[in-house]
């Protein structure tokens, strides 16, 4: 069969154009780099961040992939993570606002003593609702993907803590400045440090213990380095720490509308529920593991808890004054968060 010149030209054009079409389609796939501070075996990595990344990839039909770099593999220190998202060192980061004290003042309302619930699902949902109204200005340098808080913090120490008197003289690691102020008010010596530093500090007896939730205990071997663990009964709880999942704003804006829609649908209450359920589930599992290895878990009495609440009231008063100096109505924020916590406790 003979081909006319015109027919050959069209066929050749099709053959030449096809690779370009394939290349263009492939170019639409995007890989994002996520950076965080805990090891890959940590529950936050393996049971929250990694499943979430896989869900995003599946929902985008493979067009949006997220490669996770744990343990600060991209360099820097945990307090630098937010700026790494801002500057594009990483596309997405997971960090604690409390790693940079005072930089995100409105987030601190959740970290005040005896404000948060003892369940992460309640705190995560309340924090998610709080975000749109209060945190957009403070986090304008990035695209804030999620803001949430964990469950009840637990005191892990090398001696048993039943009362405030038992806290006297104990050097305890705190995750946030307000958890630190609460510990001081209760008589302990408070030492601020990112959680990756906790194992070495315990081993070298730089600190006598740490306050962290059950979820992170295995990742930093706190159950091997301490023998006593003290829980605070019910809500409100002694403290919680908050978290950011944040993205480089230019990178987010560069995504196609379809890919932004995939990312957005996996944020908000969807992410809050994933985070809250993971923390609450792991708290039960890990506390049982710790108990089975012979460690002592103590729950302070309700009467003792009332003493702790009274002792930490000045932390609230001081924070309200600090916020006033920054033209923030701290008392109103406290009232609002208490209302949100109560709302989601009824729903959970």
């Amino acid at each position: 069969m003979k081909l006319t010149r015109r027919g050959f030209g069209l066929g050749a054009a099709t053959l030449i154009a096809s690779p370009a079409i394939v290349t263009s389609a492939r170019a639409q796939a995007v890989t994002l780099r996520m950076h965080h501070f805990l090891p890959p075996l940590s529950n936050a990595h393996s049971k929250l961040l990694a499943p979430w990344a896989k869900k995003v990839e599946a929902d985008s039909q493979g067009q949006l992939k997220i490669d996770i770099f744990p343990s600060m593999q991209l360099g820097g220190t945990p307090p630098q993570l937010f700026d790494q998202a801002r500057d594009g060192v990483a596309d997405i980061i997971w960090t604690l606002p409390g790693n940079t004290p005072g930089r995100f003042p409105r987030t601190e309302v959740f970290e005040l003593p005896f404000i948060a619930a003892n369940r992460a699902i309640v705190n995560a949902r309340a924090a998610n609702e709080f975000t749109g109204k209060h945190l957009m200005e403070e986090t304008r340098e990035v695209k804030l993907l999620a803001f949430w808080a964990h469950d009840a913090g637990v005191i892990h120490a090398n001696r048993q803590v039943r009362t405030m008197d038992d806290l006297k003289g104990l050097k305890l690691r705190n995750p946030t400045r307000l958890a630190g102020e609460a510990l001081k008010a209760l008589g302990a010596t408070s030492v601020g440090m990112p959680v990756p530093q906790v194992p070495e500090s315990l081993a070298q007896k730089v600190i006598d213990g740490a306050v962290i939730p059950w979820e992170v205990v295995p990742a930093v071997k706190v159950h091997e380095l301490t023998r006593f663990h003290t829980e605070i009964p019910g809500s409100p709880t002694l403290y919680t720490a908050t978290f950011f999942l944040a993205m480089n704003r230019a990178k987010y804006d560069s995504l196609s509308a379809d890919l932004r829609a995939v990312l957005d649908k996996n944020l908000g209450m969807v992410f809050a529920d994933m985070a809250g359920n993971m923390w609450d589930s792991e708290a039960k599992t890990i506390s049982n593991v710790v108990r089975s290895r012979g460690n002592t878990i103590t729950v302070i009495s309700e009467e003792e808890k009332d003493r702790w609440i009274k002792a930490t009231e000045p932390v609230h008063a001081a924070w309200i004054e600090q916020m006033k100096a920054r033209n923030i109505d701290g008392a109103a924020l406290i009232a609002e968060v208490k209302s949100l916590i109560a709302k989601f406790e009824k729903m959970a």
Side-chain angles (χ1 to χ4, degrees), residues 20 183 258:
L183 290 172
D258 288 347

Side-chain angles (χ1 to χ4, degrees), residues 82 86 104 135-144 247 249:
F82 185 89
R86 181 196 65 190
F104 307 101
L135 297 184
M136 293 301 99
E137 177 62 23
E138 288 185 7
T139 61
R140 65 188 180 280
E141 295 177 313
V142 300
K143 169 66 177 177
L144 185 62
M247 185 172 179
R249 182 167 288 282

Side-chain angles (χ1 to χ4, degrees), residues 61-136:
Q61 298 181 351
Q63 293 299 291
L64 186 58
K65 300 181 180 180
I66 301 174
D67 289 342
I68 306 179
F69 295 83
S71 302
M72 302 305 299
Q73 288 177 357
L74 297 181
T77 62
Q80 295 171 333
L81 280 165
F82 185 89
D83 288 341
Q84 289 186 353
R86 181 196 65 190
D87 300 337
V89 175
D91 299 313
I92 299 175
I93 59 88
W94 170 49
T95 191
L96 285 79
N99 279 341
T100 49
R103 183 173 181 178
F104 307 101
R106 290 172 179 83
T107 66
E108 293 182 337
V109 64
F110 283 90
E111 298 169 355
L112 286 163
F114 299 105
I115 290 288
N118 64 340
R119 287 185 294 169
I121 191 67
V122 174
N123 295 330
R125 289 173 174 175
N128 176 71
E129 187 160 319
F130 181 86
T131 300
K133 182 177 177 182
H134 295 292
L135 297 184
M136 293 301 99

Side-chain angles (χ1 to χ4, degrees), residues 179-238:
E181 292 302 315
L183 290 172
K184 289 178 191 175
L186 294 171
T189 299
S190 178
V191 182
M193 67 175 65
V195 72
Q197 296 177 19
V198 167
E200 183 177 358
S201 297
L202 282 170
Q204 295 184 354
K205 302 191 185 307
V206 174
I207 55 176
D208 302 311
V211 289
I212 55 174
W214 284 117
E215 172 275 329
V216 79
V217 163
V220 288
K221 300 182 179 180
V222 166
H223 59 315
E224 299 175 16
L225 295 163
T226 64
R227 292 182 49 239
F228 300 98
H229 316 270
T230 299
E231 296 181 324
I232 288 76
S235 295
T237 194
L238 171 60

Side-chain angles (χ1 to χ4, degrees), residues 123-193:
N123 295 330
R125 289 173 174 175
N128 176 71
E129 187 160 319
F130 181 86
T131 300
K133 182 177 177 182
H134 295 292
L135 297 184
M136 293 301 99
E137 177 62 23
E138 288 185 7
T139 61
R140 65 188 180 280
E141 295 177 313
V142 300
K143 169 66 177 177
L144 185 62
L145 302 181
F147 171 66
W148 74 100
H150 65 60
D151 56 326
V154 179
I155 299 171
H156 312 268
N158 57 20
R159 76 176 185 222
Q160 191 171 19
V161 174
R162 296 189 188 90
T163 68
M164 282 173 56
D165 292 338
D166 297 326
L167 286 167
K168 291 179 180 176
L170 275 183
K171 291 181 290 185
L172 297 177
R173 173 263 178 184
N174 74 72
T176 67
R177 78 177 190 93
L178 289 171
E181 292 302 315
L183 290 172
K184 289 178 191 175
L186 294 171
T189 299
S190 178
V191 182
M193 67 175 65

Side-chain angles (χ1 to χ4, degrees), residues 36-54:
H36 72 81
F37 55 93
L38 284 181
L41 292 178
S42 64
N43 290 307
H45 177 105
S46 63
K47 297 181 180 179
L48 175 62
L49 299 177
W52 178 78
K54 288 178 181 177

